[in-house]
Amino acid sequence: MKKILLFLSMAAVVLTFTACNSNDNNGVQDIEIPGVTLDGDVDCCSAEEALQVYKFLQTVTIIPELSIKDIDDKYNVFAYRSADFHKGYNEIFFVATKKKNGNYVKDFDITSITPLMHMSAMSMYHSTPVSAGVETFDDKPTAVKRGWISFIMSTSGKDTWALSYTARVLKSEASINDVEQVVNPLPDGQDWVKSFKVGNETFFISLVNPTEYKTGTNAVKAYISKKSAKITEPYQLASEKFTVEILPTMPDMGNHSSPDNAAFAKQDDGSYLGTLNLTMTGLWRIHLTVKDANGNIVAGGDDLDSGFSSLYLDVTI
Ligand SMILES: [Cu+2]
């Protein structure tokens, strides 16, 4: 019965879409999207694509100061995020629009995303881990690009972050240069990015979206980035292939642990996937043991007084 109902509701969706697009042939559509004129421009989204983009954009917040108006008087680029920037992994989204019709341009790219922290007391600058570029993703609309930045420090006192990037829309280009951004600290019990050293090199492991963790089994994702030789340049994904064993414990509850975890293993796209089993709510300290491609322990894996690795991330669920 459930299957039949599902089939019927899908049929209803198909009918609705067909009805909406009954005028597709002459380039005029009935779908109404605020601010978007569907004039059949080939550089831009179809009615369905534009609606998908529009709906996605309702779930994120625009970052006005990181948006670019009037590229060659023809295009706009808008930047979005899900929440205010915080220490650790943050996603950033981009769309490009044509000024003449407000519709989303499909052929655009964002390059050179460069976060830079100015630590004025020490008169020094440094960057932080970033995605290799921006990409369309999952089942999300093709005219939305996503990138990420993992801030290794929050803004504090005279230590400030600024962001730069370059946008290309069709054949036009423009840049955002050193626009200040506030990066909030994380609450107590949350620590989602940590550094570790292997020889002379410094790496950073960033947990992806730990706010989505729940009790029970979690498929978890992380990135490992390498500090650039020139530390003002964004830290790119490490080419090394590590395996990171994870052991969650509850420091507030006698350090009891939780079984059935699986180590972070490197995937073809450069990310690391693992399994984290959290048996109850509260603060979990995720102890890490980093192994190189030959299985040698290269970071963490030492014993604190507690008996667990001194390299750890904290997640409170
Ligand atoms: Cu800093």
Tab-separated table of all heavy atoms in Angstrom, residues 35-37 39-44 73-76 97-103:
chain	number	residue	atom	x	y	z
A	35	GLY	N	12.625	37.522	-8.559
A	35	GLY	CA	13.882	38.117	-9.018
A	35	GLY	C	14.461	37.477	-10.258
A	35	GLY	O	15.484	37.933	-10.778
A	36	VAL	N	13.853	36.393	-10.743
A	36	VAL	CA	14.408	35.697	-11.909
A	36	VAL	C	13.419	35.788	-13.072
A	36	VAL	O	12.248	35.455	-12.934
A	36	VAL	CB	14.685	34.212	-11.591
A	36	VAL	CG1	15.140	33.466	-12.840
A	36	VAL	CG2	15.719	34.090	-10.476
A	37	THR	N	13.914	36.268	-14.225
A	37	THR	CA	13.099	36.270	-15.437
A	37	THR	C	13.566	35.120	-16.315
A	37	THR	O	14.738	35.060	-16.696
A	37	THR	CB	13.288	37.597	-16.208
A	37	THR	OG1	13.012	38.674	-15.307
A	37	THR	CG2	12.357	37.680	-17.397
A	39	ASP	N	13.941	33.872	-19.474
A	39	ASP	CA	13.820	34.323	-20.864
A	39	ASP	C	14.502	33.390	-21.854
A	39	ASP	O	14.775	33.755	-22.984
A	39	ASP	CB	14.376	35.753	-20.993
A	39	ASP	CG	15.828	35.842	-20.529
A	39	ASP	OD1	16.424	34.784	-20.198
A	39	ASP	OD2	16.377	36.954	-20.510
A	40	GLY	N	14.829	32.161	-21.390
A	40	GLY	CA	15.394	31.177	-22.309
A	40	GLY	C	16.870	31.390	-22.613
A	40	GLY	O	17.424	30.751	-23.516
A	41	ASP	N	17.551	32.265	-21.888
A	41	ASP	CA	18.984	32.525	-22.064
A	41	ASP	C	19.772	31.213	-21.886
A	41	ASP	O	19.676	30.583	-20.835
A	41	ASP	CB	19.409	33.551	-21.015
A	41	ASP	CG	20.841	34.040	-21.205
A	41	ASP	OD1	21.693	33.240	-21.634
A	41	ASP	OD2	21.092	35.229	-20.914
A	42	VAL	N	20.549	30.822	-22.894
A	42	VAL	CA	21.232	29.519	-22.843
A	42	VAL	C	22.334	29.451	-21.782
A	42	VAL	O	22.732	28.373	-21.374
A	42	VAL	CB	21.855	29.124	-24.209
A	42	VAL	CG1	20.764	28.815	-25.216
A	42	VAL	CG2	22.793	30.208	-24.718
A	43	ASP	N	22.867	30.597	-21.363
A	43	ASP	CA	23.907	30.592	-20.322
A	43	ASP	C	23.310	30.313	-18.946
A	43	ASP	O	24.035	30.018	-18.006
A	43	ASP	CB	24.593	31.960	-20.235
A	43	ASP	CG	25.344	32.292	-21.499
A	43	ASP	OD1	25.841	31.357	-22.160
A	43	ASP	OD2	25.426	33.494	-21.837
A	44	CYS	N	22.000	30.446	-18.869
A	44	CYS	CA	21.348	30.417	-17.555
A	44	CYS	C	20.581	29.123	-17.332
A	44	CYS	O	20.450	28.289	-18.216
A	44	CYS	CB	20.400	31.605	-17.423
A	44	CYS	SG	21.259	33.185	-17.414
A	73	ASP	N	29.610	44.988	-15.528
A	73	ASP	CA	28.249	45.509	-15.644
A	73	ASP	C	27.226	44.450	-16.083
A	73	ASP	O	26.106	44.770	-16.465
A	73	ASP	CB	28.214	46.686	-16.632
A	73	ASP	CG	27.170	47.708	-16.215
A	73	ASP	OD1	26.854	47.759	-15.005
A	73	ASP	OD2	26.668	48.431	-17.090
A	74	LYS	N	27.643	43.164	-16.059
A	74	LYS	CA	26.753	42.127	-16.574
A	74	LYS	C	26.339	41.081	-15.525
A	74	LYS	O	25.274	40.494	-15.624
A	74	LYS	CB	27.439	41.385	-17.735
A	74	LYS	CG	27.500	42.210	-19.022
A	74	LYS	CD	28.028	41.390	-20.197
A	74	LYS	CE	29.521	41.210	-20.101
A	74	LYS	NZ	30.149	40.735	-21.341
A	75	TYR	N	27.231	40.840	-14.566
A	75	TYR	CA	26.978	39.718	-13.646
A	75	TYR	C	27.124	40.140	-12.192
A	75	TYR	O	27.813	41.108	-11.876
A	75	TYR	CB	27.981	38.580	-13.906
A	75	TYR	CG	28.137	38.227	-15.359
A	75	TYR	CD1	29.335	38.496	-16.027
A	75	TYR	CD2	27.091	37.636	-16.064
A	75	TYR	CE1	29.480	38.184	-17.367
A	75	TYR	CE2	27.232	37.316	-17.406
A	75	TYR	CZ	28.425	37.596	-18.056
A	75	TYR	OH	28.559	37.303	-19.382
A	76	ASN	N	26.504	39.336	-11.313
A	76	ASN	CA	26.748	39.422	-9.877
A	76	ASN	C	27.211	38.056	-9.405
A	76	ASN	O	26.808	37.043	-9.978
A	76	ASN	CB	25.450	39.740	-9.115
A	76	ASN	CG	24.867	41.087	-9.489
A	76	ASN	OD1	25.576	42.071	-9.618
A	76	ASN	ND2	23.560	41.114	-9.681
A	97	THR	N	24.846	35.399	-11.102
A	97	THR	CA	23.601	35.727	-11.820
A	97	THR	C	23.888	36.722	-12.933
A	97	THR	O	24.859	37.475	-12.881
A	97	THR	CB	22.549	36.355	-10.880
A	97	THR	OG1	23.087	37.561	-10.328
A	97	THR	CG2	22.162	35.412	-9.753
A	98	LYS	N	23.015	36.706	-13.940
A	98	LYS	CA	23.055	37.752	-14.962
A	98	LYS	C	22.192	38.906	-14.484
A	98	LYS	O	21.079	38.684	-14.002
A	98	LYS	CB	22.497	37.218	-16.288
A	98	LYS	CG	23.560	36.625	-17.179
A	98	LYS	CD	23.107	36.500	-18.620
A	98	LYS	CE	24.220	35.769	-19.386
A	98	LYS	NZ	23.887	35.542	-20.799
A	99	LYS	N	22.722	40.107	-14.611
A	99	LYS	CA	21.966	41.260	-14.117
A	99	LYS	C	20.680	41.466	-14.912
A	99	LYS	O	19.666	41.884	-14.375
A	99	LYS	CB	22.821	42.524	-14.194
A	99	LYS	CG	23.961	42.511	-13.187
A	99	LYS	CD	24.746	43.794	-13.206
A	99	LYS	CE	23.922	44.934	-12.617
A	99	LYS	NZ	24.693	46.186	-12.589
A	100	LYS	N	20.741	41.147	-16.226
A	100	LYS	CA	19.583	41.490	-17.068
A	100	LYS	C	18.343	40.646	-16.769
A	100	LYS	O	17.234	41.101	-16.990
A	100	LYS	CB	19.948	41.434	-18.547
A	100	LYS	CG	20.150	40.041	-19.112
A	100	LYS	CD	20.407	40.122	-20.626
A	100	LYS	CE	20.838	38.785	-21.206
A	100	LYS	NZ	19.752	37.894	-21.526
A	101	ASN	N	18.557	39.416	-16.266
A	101	ASN	CA	17.372	38.594	-15.998
A	101	ASN	C	17.366	37.985	-14.588
A	101	ASN	O	16.420	37.302	-14.217
A	101	ASN	CB	17.230	37.485	-17.055
A	101	ASN	CG	18.476	36.619	-17.156
A	101	ASN	OD1	19.309	36.612	-16.255
A	101	ASN	ND2	18.599	35.899	-18.260
A	102	GLY	N	18.428	38.225	-13.822
A	102	GLY	CA	18.496	37.699	-12.458
A	102	GLY	C	18.680	36.194	-12.389
A	102	GLY	O	18.735	35.622	-11.306
A	103	ASN	N	18.790	35.545	-13.547
A	103	ASN	CA	18.871	34.080	-13.559
A	103	ASN	C	20.308	33.625	-13.286
A	103	ASN	O	21.269	34.361	-13.508
A	103	ASN	CB	18.371	33.544	-14.904
A	103	ASN	CG	18.030	32.060	-14.847
A	103	ASN	OD1	18.330	31.371	-13.876
A	103	ASN	ND2	17.397	31.574	-15.902
